[in-house]
Amino acid sequence: FLKIFKKTVNITGFFEIEDALRQDISLTVQVIQNAGIRIIMATGDHVITAKHIAQSAGIISLQDSDDDIVEMTHASDKDIKKNLMKCSVYGRCLPTDKLRIITLLQEQGLRVAMVGDGVNDVPSLAMSDLGVAMGITGSDSAKDAADIVLLQDSFGSIPYGIAEGRHIFYTFKRVIFYFLASNFTEVLVMTVAFIGFP
């Protein structure tokens, strides 16, 4: 084939094109991981490409081997379960494969948030505990299936949402504890009064 190709075209070299990651992605990944949240990348790209992107983003370390990456082409549920708690990169994923990963994680009792933007992400966005869609480049079907739509297509805005959500949760806890502590005597008096005077 190359002999025929060389006769018709002069080959002077090869070049590659790389879609560069955003500058803030590594810091964002680190902030999310420090918050106790595990990041899993499920992509339709080849496993070699997926590994390079995951290492560049800081999702996995440079020392992680190919054994820590699952190719979903022929992976069974048993294969996924075996690596579920340690593997953070899944390559050659179809929409059904993303759905399988989410379902298996939920069966382990974990809460799963899914970030996506395309039509192929709709089933996963709907099945996850929290679906997050991109507001600018995201498809309309992805936005409809998601629970949250980001106004800016930036992964860097997610840590702010996590921090705000946790702040609201802890504030509610403090308010509930305060009312229980301050009104406990009133509740006790009313309960004794009802029991003592039927």
Side-chain angles (χ1 to χ4, degrees):
F1 173 76
L2 284 175
K3 289 180 180 178
I4 299 171
F5 190 70
K6 284 180 180 178
K7 289 179 181 178
T8 56
V9 179
N10 289 328
I11 300 175
T12 56
F14 293 96
F15 70 94
E16 65 177 19
I17 299 174
E18 181 179 359
D19 190 5
L21 295 174
R22 296 188 181 186
Q23 293 181 351
D24 63 338
I25 189 68
S26 297
L27 179 60
T28 303
V29 167
Q30 186 178 356
V31 170
I32 293 174
Q33 290 174 339
N34 290 339
I37 298 171
R38 181 178 165 210
I39 297 178
I40 294 175
M41 187 178 80
T43 176
D45 292 333
H46 191 275
V47 288
I48 297 175
T49 307
K51 180 181 178 181
H52 173 71
I53 294 170
Q55 287 176 336
S56 301
I59 297 172
I60 60 175
S61 66
L62 295 172
Q63 288 76 29
D64 287 339
S65 65
D66 293 338
D67 296 334
D68 297 325
I69 301 171
V70 176
E71 183 173 355
M72 297 296 290
T73 309
H74 303 294
S76 63
D77 286 355
K78 185 178 179 181
D79 297 329
I80 300 171
K81 280 183 180 178
K82 185 173 66 175
N83 300 298
L84 192 62
M85 302 313 293
K86 68 171 185 176
C87 180
S88 298
V89 180
Y90 297 86
R92 290 294 190 200
C93 284
L94 297 173
T96 52
D97 294 326
K98 295 179 183 180
L99 204 57
R100 288 164 60 200
I101 295 168
I102 289 173
T103 304
L104 291 171
L105 287 168
Q106 289 173 334
E107 287 176 1
Q108 299 294 321
L110 300 173
R111 298 286 183 186
V112 182
M114 165 72 183
V115 181
D117 60 356
V119 177
N120 59 337
D121 294 323
V122 170
S124 302
L125 288 167
M127 177 61 71
S128 61
D129 298 297
L130 180 66
V132 182
M134 300 297 176
I136 299 174
T137 59
S139 64
D140 291 335
S141 54
K143 294 177 191 176
D144 292 338
D147 301 299
I148 297 175
V149 178
L150 299 178
L151 297 179
Q152 296 178 344
D153 289 358
S154 173
F155 196 66
S157 59
I158 291 178
Y160 295 102
I162 294 169
E164 188 66 27
R166 288 183 174 181
H167 175 70
I168 292 169
F169 175 74
Y170 291 132
T171 302
F172 270 117
K173 275 180 65 176
R174 287 196 297 267
V175 169
I176 291 169
F177 286 145
Y178 170 76
F179 279 118
L180 285 175
S182 61
N183 297 329
F184 179 73
T185 53
E186 295 178 20
V187 173
L188 184 61
V189 169
M190 295 297 294
T191 304
V192 171
F194 278 118
I195 293 172
F197 302 99

